[in-house]
Amino acid sequence: MRIAVGIKWVPNTQAVRFDPETGTLIRKGIPSIVNPHDLPAIEMALRLRDAVGGEVIAFTMAPPPAVKGLELALGMGVDRAILITDRVFAGADTLATSYVLANAISKVEREYGKVDLVVFGQETIDSSTAHIPGQVASWLDWPYVYYVKDIQVLGDGRIRVVRELEDYIEEYEIELPAVLGIAVRALKPRPVSLYNKLRAKLNKDTIVVWGNSELKLDPRCVGLKGSPTIVAKTIDMPEVPRKKEVYKPRDPRDAARWIVSKIVEDEKLRELLVKKLWGG
Amino acid sequence: MKVDCEKLCPEWPCEQPEEFKNVWVLIEAFEGFISEPSLQMLTSGRKIADKLGEKLVGVLVGYRVSGFAEEIIKHGADEVIVVDDPGLETYYPRVYAHVIVSLARKYKPSVILAPATKRGRELAPYIANTLKAGITADCTDFDVDESTKDVLLIRPPFAAILLAFIKTPFRRPQIGTARPNVFPIPPRDEGRKGEVMYENVDVKLEDKMKLLSRKKLHRAEVGVEKAEVIVSGGRGLGSPEGFKLLENLAELLDGVVGASRKAVDAGWIEEYRQIGQTGRAVKSILYFAIGISGAAQHMIGVREAGRIIAVNIDPEAPIFTQSDYGIIGDYKEIIPALIEELKKLKEEGPKALEKYKST
Ligand SMILES: Cc1cc2nc3c(=O)[nH]c(=O)nc-3n(C[C@H](O)[C@H](O)[C@H](O)COP(=O)(O)OP(=O)(O)OC[C@H]3O[C@@H](n4cnc5c(N)ncnc54)[C@H](O)[C@@H]3O)c2cc1C
Ligand SMILES: Nc1ncnc2c1ncn2[C@@H]1O[C@H](COP(=O)(O)O)[C@@H](O)[C@H]1O
């Protein structure tokens, strides 16, 4: 099986802090990481390969520093990695990104052979649109499912997948090739191994770089030009007005009484409490 | 604005924005139910349609769904387009998407809104891409640029810390989704009338994929989305036993237990209780945040909640500037005391409420 896994190199949004003086976002010096939600997708691809053989190819469209992310994927055991990078790809929205990624999959097929499965993470932590898998599936015209928790290879070019919606667990049988989005907590990703890292380092061909001279896409379809959506402006998230009363109680009983008194003073909460305690 | 076809990606059909009219809301109806998150989108749809001076149209696709058309009108749609076809009995993303795409090609709506349920998040980008249109996920508000008539799709990227205003100046339809519970369902107007249009679409069956089974997940109570009282716990609980305590409080108040992501990650509580950006959005009247620090990604899930009561041991915790009533202290002491106080109150009856006034 040849499995391609899409990953993204993202700013670690968990590390974002507000400047206490100005109340604005400190974005300088935020370290980048592999989108944590892509790690279960990598893990899923590796387990399938380990079970049935074949190769796993990690790919990302990103500026050159993202090679660090591909190295991490190689360290986890991915066989090959592709950095898709070009100035003309910059400023892409999800439509233009998915166009490049889908064309990269086609090039993978020309270079290395048929791709059976493309897996993606559930969503990125910086934009979290969850668009890319569906859009790539649309360009390729392959079947796809989202929120996949488990995959079983059936042989004869078919797989069985389990996916979880809000209130249902569903099981599908899918004819390959297909595109899947892997649920955030589907599997625990394996750590990077020194052996895999060294193996990747010794083999110079494990990371290839493709620009638009390789992909040969119409510049009108990629980057900012190929993006129907534009960001008109951004602002800091407006605050929700809250009362912000803070109380340091003398003892737990005092705390409990303060909370109940606040509920009783607030007409809506008082009504709610009466209903909940006495059903009236 | 006139679109110059020469400058456009040749993969896209060249169309002028003024060819497109009306605001569509994709309505989910499965297994005999109409999904509330899709009715909630009628609130945003109404706002945009009024600002554009266009009609609000519900799009109802499925099998044995025609009966819901009136319901959509009563909740504010001017028209409903229905495709009721046995080929749509089982939901497959590509099959549903192709039906909606062919309707969109015929009617040319200027806007398509869809709920960002898991199915919606699966379906909407596929539809957008097939139409080669722009799409904006998880919007928290919509507006219209008066001068250009472009819809502004407002969403929080970057882990909910920023709000971005997205426009789609050259392409139509403009497609957007919003998470469940970000908007209310428009009030039902029993007398409201509207036109229902039945469409026949050539349904292309899914030949690469087959649903083998579907099991309803058994979940004890009302989901967090519908609860009036939510008692949420975070990493500050320190252990799964902490949640037992919160359960007692929730039970007393006929509420539901919720959680932060870190509590779910720790394995102390089920994933479907997670509230926030990657969890669910809630609109409870009362929300307890116990041992939760108040990260932006958690708080975005409680924007629509009524009053927030926070208990945190750290006086500097950001939650205190984002809640209504904050108590500094150890939850292990405060929650049992609160439970005891409420139990006593319950026994004493409503009259006992008087003694809490102006303390
Ligand atoms: C893209 C993205 C999406 C995310 N989505 C979500 C999401 O959907 N939901 C979500 O919740 N988070 C989400 N997060 C994570 C979020 O950023 C925070 O990490 C998380 O909300 C923190 O959880 P917490 O408040 O439980 O833990 P912490 O931040 O560790 O806070 C624990 C708190 O408990 C207090 N405490 C400790 N002991 C006690 C005690 N004995 N009594 C009382 N208080 C005590 C501490 O003072 C502290 O304030 C997301 C992050 C990213 C980047
Ligand atoms: N630039 C990219 N290159 C490769 N894969 C990507 C890229 N952006 C997003 N993805 C994949 O698509 C998934 C969904 O991303 P998003 O639509 O941005 O939320 C991610 O979890 C990744 O697996």
Side-chain angles (χ1 to χ4, degrees):
Chain A
M1 241 182 147
R2 183 168 290 104
I3 307 165
V5 50
I7 65 172
K8 194 176 177 195
W9 185 241
V10 296
N12 183 0
T13 48
Q14 292 274 24
V16 176
R17 293 286 170 268
F18 283 96
D19 183 333
E21 309 262 281
T22 62
T24 54
L25 198 67
I26 310 169
R27 275 199 265 187
K28 258 214 268 94
I30 302 176
S32 286
I33 52 172
V34 172
N35 175 39
H37 302 336
D38 296 344
L39 301 179
I42 299 176
E43 179 64 31
M44 187 71 91
L46 292 175
R47 285 194 196 180
L48 291 177
R49 178 205 61 189
D50 295 345
V52 300
E55 68 168 345
V56 177
I57 305 175
F59 65 105
T60 186
M61 181 188 101
V67 81
K68 287 250 172 316
L70 294 174
E71 283 168 9
L72 181 130
L74 289 164
M76 283 175 71
V78 160
D79 303 283
R80 200 191 282 286
I82 303 168
L83 175 67
I84 305 149
T85 192
D86 199 301
R87 285 246 164 108
V88 296
F89 298 158
D93 72 359
T94 58
L95 180 81
T97 302
S98 66
Y99 184 65
V100 173
L101 296 179
N103 278 284
I105 297 291
S106 303
K107 187 172 167 62
V108 167
E109 298 208 294
R110 292 195 298 274
E111 301 280 325
Y112 306 113
K114 201 166 90 49
V115 170
D116 300 289
L117 195 58
V118 182
V119 295
F120 289 108
Q122 178 177 308
E123 57 197 56
T124 50
I125 62 167
D126 60 340
S127 58
S128 56
T129 67
H131 286 168
I132 297 293
Q135 287 172 318
V136 168
S138 158
W139 286 114
L140 294 172
D141 197 18
W142 291 359
Y144 79 110
V145 222
Y146 227 118
Y147 302 100
V148 169
K149 294 210 126 167
D150 193 26
I151 306 175
Q152 201 190 328
V153 180
L154 298 175
D156 66 356
R158 289 173 309 128
I159 53 173
R160 183 181 295 180
V161 306
V162 177
R163 67 102 159 245
E164 191 173 321
L165 298 173
E166 285 88 348
D167 298 312
Y168 288 96
I169 291 248
E170 297 180 335
E171 212 183 343
Y172 289 93
E173 194 173 298
I174 304 174
E175 194 181 313
L176 300 175
V179 177
L180 303 176
I182 308 298
V184 166
R185 292 185 183 90
L187 313 151
K188 204 166 133 40
R190 68 190 65 184
V192 166
S193 92
L194 203 58
Y195 169 77
N196 284 330
K197 256 181 127 167
L198 277 174
R199 192 184 62 152
K201 273 239 157 64
L202 289 174
N203 186 351
K204 283 217 162 45
D205 305 329
T206 49
I207 301 185
V208 299
V209 181
W210 290 345
N212 207 29
S213 44
E214 282 79 23
L215 288 179
K216 301 191 173 58
L217 303 175
D218 189 320
R220 291 172 296 180
C221 302
V222 300
L224 202 55
K225 284 197 189 124
S227 300
T229 63
I230 56 167
V231 179
K233 64 168 177 177
T234 61
I235 58 169
D236 284 346
M237 192 81 183
E239 242 184 76
V240 182
R242 296 278 175 202
K243 284 180 175 285
K244 302 182 192 178
E245 287 183 33
V246 181
Y247 185 65
K248 191 162 178 11
R250 292 184 302 274
D251 54 53
R253 172 108 206 278
D254 180 35
R257 294 187 65 91
W258 187 78
I259 293 173
V260 179
S261 72
K262 288 299 157 189
I263 292 176
V264 173
E265 278 167 26
D266 185 309
E267 202 180 318
K268 254 188 128 171
L269 292 187
R270 182 194 168 100
E271 230 173 72
L272 179 76
L273 185 71
V274 169
K275 181 170 125 189
K276 297 299 183 188
L277 287 186
W278 302 290
Chain B
M1 184 179 322
K2 198 97 186 123
V3 171
D4 179 354
C5 297
E6 288 300 306
K7 288 196 176 143
L8 225 53
C9 173
E11 302 264 8
W12 307 359
C14 185
E15 295 155 323
Q16 300 301 328
E18 65 267 18
E19 296 167 26
F20 292 76
K21 214 189 265 15
N22 293 341
V23 178
W24 280 16
V25 170
L26 305 185
I27 304 289
E28 293 180 335
F30 297 108
E31 329 215 307
F33 291 98
I34 190 160
S35 94
E36 288 190 6
S38 49
L39 292 178
Q40 289 165 359
M41 296 311 288
L42 291 168
T43 292
S44 315
R46 186 80 263 163
K47 175 176 172 185
I48 299 170
D50 288 348
K51 289 202 174 195
L52 289 173
E54 296 177 359
K55 283 187 199 158
L56 176 60
V57 181
V59 177
L60 182 59
V61 167
Y63 181 47
R64 299 202 170 119
V65 291
S66 305
F68 293 122
E70 288 301 325
E71 193 62 19
I72 299 164
I73 287 167
K74 286 179 181 141
H75 283 290
D78 302 306
E79 292 172 0
V80 178
I81 300 172
V82 182
V83 179
D84 201 329
D85 191 299
L88 299 170
E89 181 165 17
T90 304
Y91 159 85
Y92 291 108
R94 294 202 298 176
V95 176
Y96 271 61
H98 284 300
V99 169
I100 291 158
V101 163
S102 54
L103 292 175
R105 287 198 175 125
K106 174 172 175 189
Y107 284 92
K108 296 185 173 253
S110 62
V111 179
I112 300 180
L113 302 180
T117 56
K118 288 188 173 177
R119 273 179 175 143
R121 297 188 104 198
E122 177 174 77
L123 197 57
Y126 193 94
I127 293 170
N129 205 79
T130 310
L131 292 168
K132 310 294 178 280
I135 171 164
T136 304
D138 297 352
C139 298
T140 52
D141 203 0
F142 298 91
D143 207 344
V144 171
D145 181 331
E146 289 299 332
S147 59
T148 60
K149 296 288 176 200
D150 288 328
V151 174
L152 294 167
L153 301 107
I154 304 167
R155 77 178 302 257
F158 213 71
I161 298 164
L162 287 175
L163 268 189
F165 292 63
I166 313 276
K167 286 209 286 197
T168 321
F170 310 106
R171 293 295 301 161
R172 295 291 182 267
Q174 307 160 89
I175 303 179
T177 67
R179 292 260 180 167
N181 276 341
V182 169
F183 303 104
I185 299 179
R188 197 164 189 276
D189 174 357
E190 200 53 53
R192 195 179 161 84
K193 294 272 174 292
E195 196 185 340
V196 181
M197 296 170 295
Y198 292 91
E199 278 287 335
N200 282 311
V201 172
D202 197 8
V203 178
K204 203 176 112 198
L205 296 181
E206 177 62 75
D207 55 352
K208 304 275 188 218
M209 195 173 145
K210 203 170 97 208
L211 178 70
L212 299 176
S213 72
R214 170 176 301 141
K215 264 203 307 262
K216 184 133 179 93
L217 289 165
H218 285 292
R219 278 163 186 169
E221 359 74 341
V222 201
V224 283
E225 291 98 331
K226 291 209 172 164
E228 289 181 322
V229 176
I230 296 173
V231 184
S232 266
R235 191 164 67 168
L237 295 193
S239 70
E241 285 72 49
F243 274 100
K244 289 269 171 339
L245 206 51
L246 301 202
E247 256 166 46
N248 292 343
L249 178 58
E251 198 183 328
L252 198 53
L253 292 173
D254 184 29
V256 168
V257 169
S260 77
R261 186 165 102 182
K262 282 198 177 163
V264 174
D265 284 344
W268 300 339
I269 190 89
E270 300 97 327
E271 179 178 352
Y272 68 88
R273 297 180 191 272
Q274 182 180 319
I275 289 156
Q277 197 190 4
T278 35
R280 308 194 179 198
V282 298
K283 50 178 181 189
S284 58
I285 301 168
L286 179 57
Y287 187 85
F288 286 92
I290 316 290
I292 290 178
S293 62
Q297 300 83 22
H298 184 78
M299 299 314 284
I300 194 162
V302 297
R303 288 179 78 84
E304 292 296 309
R307 295 272 180 242
I308 300 180
I309 297 178
V311 177
N312 199 301
I313 206 162
D314 174 12
E316 303 291 317
I319 187 77
F320 287 127
T321 59
Q322 302 178 78
S323 46
D324 296 290
Y325 308 113
I327 292 268
I328 302 168
D330 188 340
Y331 88 93
K332 286 191 204 110
E333 296 171 352
I334 290 165
I335 301 304
L338 180 59
I339 291 172
E340 199 182 316
E341 192 75 25
L342 288 170
K343 274 190 178 155
K344 211 173 74 202
L345 181 61
K346 185 175 167 129
E347 245 163 60
E348 291 169 359
K351 272 223 152 64
L353 287 174
E354 297 307 316
K355 69 180 182 204
Y356 290 97
K357 288 235 168 111
S358 58
T359 37

